[in-house]
Every structure is written in C-alpha cells, then in structure tokens.
Amino acid sequence: MTAQTSTVQGALFGDPVTVETTDHGPAATQDPREVAHVVALGQDPGLFVIERTGLVLRADPARPGCADALARHDGDTVAQLLDTGHLRLGGTHHLHHNGTEGPARSVLVPKATRDMVSRWDHLRPIPAPTPKPAKTPQRSTGVIGVDVVEPGKALVCLGTTGQGGTVLREDGRYRVENDHGATVGHASSYRAAARLLARYHGYTPGPVEIEHEHRLYRR
C-alpha cells in the first residue's frame, strides 16, 4: 500500500489547507459508455471545475447558480478528457456548493467531441456491459441409498445417477472410496460419507436412507 504524504492544496473556495494525498492519479477509462455519459452531462445540465482543487461540479437545474459534486469516477473521466483535449475549460462562474461559494470554470464540449460520440451511436451502438453467465445449478442425487452389508462396511448408491462408492470403518472414522477403490476422503458417519461422495461426483446431496442388512450391528 502506498504511504500517504501531506501536501498543501487550495481549499474549496478559500485559503490553502494541508491535506493527505497519495501518488495515485485519476483512474483512466477506456469505456466509451463512460465517456459518452460525461459528454452528455457537459451539455446538459453542464459541468464546472474548481481550478484550485480540481473538483468537478454538476449544475443543478432546479437551483440556478448552485452545483453539486460529481461522482469521483465521473470526475476522473472529466479530468482525462480535459487532458486529451476532448473537453475544454470555459469562462469563470460564481457558484454555490455545499454551503460555500466561489469561482469555478465551465466545461466546454467541442463540436469534434460531440461528433465523435454521435458517430459511436450511429456506426456502432455503444456496447452494454456483458452480463455474467448464469450459474448452472448443480444436479441433485435424489435419495442416496446406504446399504450396510457387514459391520464396518457399506455400499453407497447416489440415487439414479449410477454412481456411488464404498464406506469402510477405519480407526473410529469412515474411509470413503469411489467406485474404483480410490480414497476420496474420511467422514464421521455413514450419512456424512454419503454426502461426501455426492459432492465428489459433482452432485448436491439429497436425502440419505440407511439400511442395515445386519440388524445386530450398531454403528
């Protein structure tokens, strides 16, 4: 993380004050939608820049002579477009903002910039953000059958999936194997072992039914 340092910067409309800054400059954008949005704001309702601070303001149509701060990412885009000449600073206006008042310069949108955005609209619509693909819901196993065939050993059938495995009691726990005899992991009970096997095969575990062929055996 970059350490913060103190610097002297002009207050909003008043005397210079000491503020904390970092070496991070405005975040550049390559998004034509963001550029078009800022250009539209520059035309209506209008934008202003307080030169002493670089703060970008948006005119308030309901309150002539008043303005509100623009969102930071939009303000960064304004600064970027001013640096590249796509926007320009105009005359000085006296504005009220956040309980204070003072001078700010208007932001002008040159005809070349308006034409550029218009060409984007007519030649190729400004692309909308690509929606994230919907997550594919996991398949459920249905009822999982656990057949205890002998003390300390059970066969697991994952519903109608045709997959399953074997559970073997080992040192007070249960070793879980897949259909090929490879160890999948360990579990604390037959029920937990059945759910482990379901997740191993990529399924959402369904209800577990345990049947003991040897009724005299207690788990």
Short mmCIF file of all heavy atoms in Angstrom, two decimals, residues 171-197:
data_model
loop_
_atom_site.label_atom_id
_atom_site.label_comp_id
_atom_site.label_asym_id
_atom_site.label_seq_id
_atom_site.Cartn_x
_atom_site.Cartn_y
_atom_site.Cartn_z
N ASP A 171 -10.26 -46.99 12.21
CA ASP A 171 -9.76 -46.23 13.36
C ASP A 171 -10.80 -45.24 13.91
O ASP A 171 -10.50 -44.08 14.19
CB ASP A 171 -8.48 -45.47 12.99
CG ASP A 171 -7.35 -46.40 12.60
OD1 ASP A 171 -7.31 -47.53 13.13
OD2 ASP A 171 -6.52 -46.01 11.76
N GLY A 172 -12.03 -45.72 14.04
CA GLY A 172 -13.07 -44.87 14.63
C GLY A 172 -13.72 -43.91 13.65
O GLY A 172 -14.67 -43.22 14.00
N ARG A 173 -13.20 -43.85 12.42
CA ARG A 173 -13.80 -42.99 11.39
C ARG A 173 -14.18 -43.86 10.20
O ARG A 173 -14.07 -45.08 10.26
CB ARG A 173 -12.82 -41.89 10.97
CG ARG A 173 -12.37 -40.99 12.14
CD ARG A 173 -11.61 -39.80 11.62
NE ARG A 173 -12.51 -38.88 10.92
CZ ARG A 173 -12.09 -37.93 10.07
NH1 ARG A 173 -10.79 -37.82 9.79
NH2 ARG A 173 -12.96 -37.12 9.49
N TYR A 174 -14.60 -43.23 9.12
CA TYR A 174 -15.02 -43.97 7.95
C TYR A 174 -14.23 -43.50 6.72
O TYR A 174 -14.24 -42.31 6.39
CB TYR A 174 -16.52 -43.79 7.71
CG TYR A 174 -17.38 -44.42 8.79
CD1 TYR A 174 -17.69 -43.71 9.95
CD2 TYR A 174 -17.84 -45.72 8.66
CE1 TYR A 174 -18.45 -44.27 10.96
CE2 TYR A 174 -18.62 -46.30 9.66
CZ TYR A 174 -18.91 -45.57 10.80
OH TYR A 174 -19.68 -46.14 11.80
N ARG A 175 -13.54 -44.44 6.10
CA ARG A 175 -12.82 -44.13 4.87
C ARG A 175 -13.78 -44.24 3.70
O ARG A 175 -14.51 -45.22 3.57
CB ARG A 175 -11.64 -45.07 4.66
CG ARG A 175 -10.76 -44.68 3.46
CD ARG A 175 -9.51 -45.52 3.33
NE ARG A 175 -9.78 -46.83 2.73
CZ ARG A 175 -9.70 -47.97 3.39
NH1 ARG A 175 -9.41 -47.97 4.69
NH2 ARG A 175 -9.94 -49.12 2.77
N VAL A 176 -13.78 -43.23 2.83
CA VAL A 176 -14.72 -43.17 1.71
C VAL A 176 -13.96 -43.43 0.41
O VAL A 176 -12.97 -42.76 0.12
CB VAL A 176 -15.42 -41.80 1.64
CG1 VAL A 176 -16.49 -41.80 0.56
CG2 VAL A 176 -16.03 -41.45 3.00
N GLU A 177 -14.43 -44.42 -0.36
CA GLU A 177 -13.79 -44.76 -1.63
C GLU A 177 -14.78 -44.59 -2.77
O GLU A 177 -15.99 -44.74 -2.59
CB GLU A 177 -13.31 -46.22 -1.61
CG GLU A 177 -12.26 -46.50 -0.53
CD GLU A 177 -11.84 -47.96 -0.53
OE1 GLU A 177 -12.51 -48.77 -1.21
OE2 GLU A 177 -10.85 -48.30 0.15
N ASN A 178 -14.26 -44.27 -3.96
CA ASN A 178 -15.14 -44.19 -5.12
C ASN A 178 -15.37 -45.57 -5.71
O ASN A 178 -14.93 -46.58 -5.14
CB ASN A 178 -14.58 -43.22 -6.17
CG ASN A 178 -13.22 -43.68 -6.72
OD1 ASN A 178 -12.84 -44.85 -6.58
ND2 ASN A 178 -12.51 -42.77 -7.35
N ASP A 179 -16.01 -45.63 -6.86
CA ASP A 179 -16.35 -46.92 -7.48
C ASP A 179 -15.12 -47.75 -7.85
O ASP A 179 -15.21 -48.96 -8.04
CB ASP A 179 -17.19 -46.70 -8.74
CG ASP A 179 -18.59 -46.19 -8.40
OD1 ASP A 179 -19.13 -46.63 -7.38
OD2 ASP A 179 -19.12 -45.36 -9.15
N HIS A 180 -13.98 -47.06 -7.99
CA HIS A 180 -12.75 -47.75 -8.42
C HIS A 180 -11.82 -48.06 -7.26
O HIS A 180 -10.69 -48.49 -7.48
CB HIS A 180 -12.03 -46.89 -9.45
CG HIS A 180 -12.87 -46.54 -10.64
ND1 HIS A 180 -13.23 -47.45 -11.60
CD2 HIS A 180 -13.46 -45.37 -11.00
CE1 HIS A 180 -13.98 -46.87 -12.52
NE2 HIS A 180 -14.14 -45.60 -12.17
N GLY A 181 -12.27 -47.82 -6.04
CA GLY A 181 -11.47 -48.15 -4.87
C GLY A 181 -10.49 -47.08 -4.46
O GLY A 181 -9.70 -47.29 -3.52
N ALA A 182 -10.51 -45.91 -5.12
CA ALA A 182 -9.62 -44.82 -4.74
C ALA A 182 -10.21 -44.05 -3.56
O ALA A 182 -11.43 -43.80 -3.52
CB ALA A 182 -9.39 -43.88 -5.91
N THR A 183 -9.37 -43.68 -2.60
CA THR A 183 -9.86 -42.97 -1.42
C THR A 183 -10.26 -41.55 -1.77
O THR A 183 -9.49 -40.79 -2.37
CB THR A 183 -8.78 -42.94 -0.33
OG1 THR A 183 -8.46 -44.29 0.05
CG2 THR A 183 -9.26 -42.18 0.90
N VAL A 184 -11.47 -41.19 -1.41
CA VAL A 184 -12.00 -39.86 -1.64
C VAL A 184 -11.75 -38.96 -0.42
O VAL A 184 -11.46 -37.77 -0.54
CB VAL A 184 -13.51 -39.93 -1.94
CG1 VAL A 184 -14.12 -38.53 -2.01
CG2 VAL A 184 -13.74 -40.68 -3.24
N GLY A 185 -11.87 -39.54 0.76
CA GLY A 185 -11.67 -38.78 1.99
C GLY A 185 -12.16 -39.58 3.17
O GLY A 185 -12.37 -40.81 3.08
N HIS A 186 -12.35 -38.91 4.30
CA HIS A 186 -12.83 -39.57 5.51
C HIS A 186 -14.04 -38.82 6.06
O HIS A 186 -14.18 -37.61 5.85
CB HIS A 186 -11.73 -39.64 6.57
CG HIS A 186 -10.61 -40.57 6.21
ND1 HIS A 186 -9.61 -40.21 5.32
CD2 HIS A 186 -10.35 -41.86 6.60
CE1 HIS A 186 -8.76 -41.23 5.18
NE2 HIS A 186 -9.19 -42.23 5.94
N ALA A 187 -14.90 -39.53 6.75
CA ALA A 187 -16.11 -38.93 7.30
C ALA A 187 -16.36 -39.48 8.70
O ALA A 187 -15.76 -40.47 9.12
CB ALA A 187 -17.31 -39.22 6.39
N SER A 188 -17.28 -38.82 9.41
CA SER A 188 -17.56 -39.21 10.80
C SER A 188 -18.70 -40.21 10.91
O SER A 188 -18.92 -40.78 11.98
CB SER A 188 -17.91 -37.96 11.61
OG SER A 188 -19.04 -37.30 11.05
N SER A 189 -19.44 -40.44 9.82
CA SER A 189 -20.58 -41.36 9.86
C SER A 189 -20.91 -41.82 8.44
O SER A 189 -20.40 -41.26 7.46
CB SER A 189 -21.80 -40.68 10.49
OG SER A 189 -22.26 -39.64 9.65
N TYR A 190 -21.78 -42.84 8.35
CA TYR A 190 -22.22 -43.28 7.03
C TYR A 190 -22.94 -42.13 6.29
O TYR A 190 -22.76 -41.94 5.09
CB TYR A 190 -23.18 -44.47 7.15
CG TYR A 190 -22.50 -45.76 7.54
CD1 TYR A 190 -23.01 -46.56 8.56
CD2 TYR A 190 -21.37 -46.21 6.86
CE1 TYR A 190 -22.40 -47.76 8.90
CE2 TYR A 190 -20.76 -47.40 7.20
CZ TYR A 190 -21.28 -48.18 8.23
OH TYR A 190 -20.67 -49.37 8.56
N ARG A 191 -23.75 -41.39 7.02
CA ARG A 191 -24.52 -40.31 6.39
C ARG A 191 -23.58 -39.24 5.84
O ARG A 191 -23.75 -38.77 4.70
CB ARG A 191 -25.47 -39.70 7.42
CG ARG A 191 -26.54 -38.78 6.82
CD ARG A 191 -27.50 -38.32 7.92
NE ARG A 191 -28.13 -39.46 8.57
CZ ARG A 191 -29.20 -40.08 8.11
NH1 ARG A 191 -29.76 -39.67 6.98
NH2 ARG A 191 -29.72 -41.11 8.75
N ALA A 192 -22.59 -38.85 6.64
CA ALA A 192 -21.62 -37.85 6.19
C ALA A 192 -20.81 -38.38 5.01
O ALA A 192 -20.48 -37.64 4.08
CB ALA A 192 -20.70 -37.45 7.33
N ALA A 193 -20.49 -39.70 5.03
CA ALA A 193 -19.74 -40.29 3.94
C ALA A 193 -20.54 -40.26 2.64
O ALA A 193 -20.00 -39.99 1.56
CB ALA A 193 -19.37 -41.72 4.30
N ALA A 194 -21.85 -40.51 2.73
CA ALA A 194 -22.70 -40.49 1.54
C ALA A 194 -22.74 -39.09 0.93
O ALA A 194 -22.66 -38.92 -0.30
CB ALA A 194 -24.11 -40.94 1.91
N ARG A 195 -22.83 -38.07 1.77
CA ARG A 195 -22.84 -36.70 1.26
C ARG A 195 -21.51 -36.32 0.64
O ARG A 195 -21.45 -35.62 -0.37
CB ARG A 195 -23.21 -35.74 2.40
CG ARG A 195 -24.67 -35.88 2.86
CD ARG A 195 -24.92 -35.10 4.11
NE ARG A 195 -26.32 -35.19 4.51
CZ ARG A 195 -26.77 -34.94 5.73
NH1 ARG A 195 -25.91 -34.59 6.68
NH2 ARG A 195 -28.05 -35.04 6.01
N LEU A 196 -20.42 -36.81 1.25
CA LEU A 196 -19.09 -36.56 0.70
C LEU A 196 -18.96 -37.15 -0.70
O LEU A 196 -18.44 -36.52 -1.63
CB LEU A 196 -18.02 -37.14 1.63
CG LEU A 196 -16.56 -37.05 1.15
CD1 LEU A 196 -16.15 -35.60 0.96
CD2 LEU A 196 -15.64 -37.73 2.15
N LEU A 197 -19.46 -38.35 -0.88
CA LEU A 197 -19.41 -38.99 -2.19
C LEU A 197 -20.24 -38.21 -3.22
O LEU A 197 -19.83 -38.07 -4.39
CB LEU A 197 -19.93 -40.43 -2.10
CG LEU A 197 -18.89 -41.52 -1.87
CD1 LEU A 197 -19.56 -42.86 -1.62
CD2 LEU A 197 -17.95 -41.62 -3.07
#
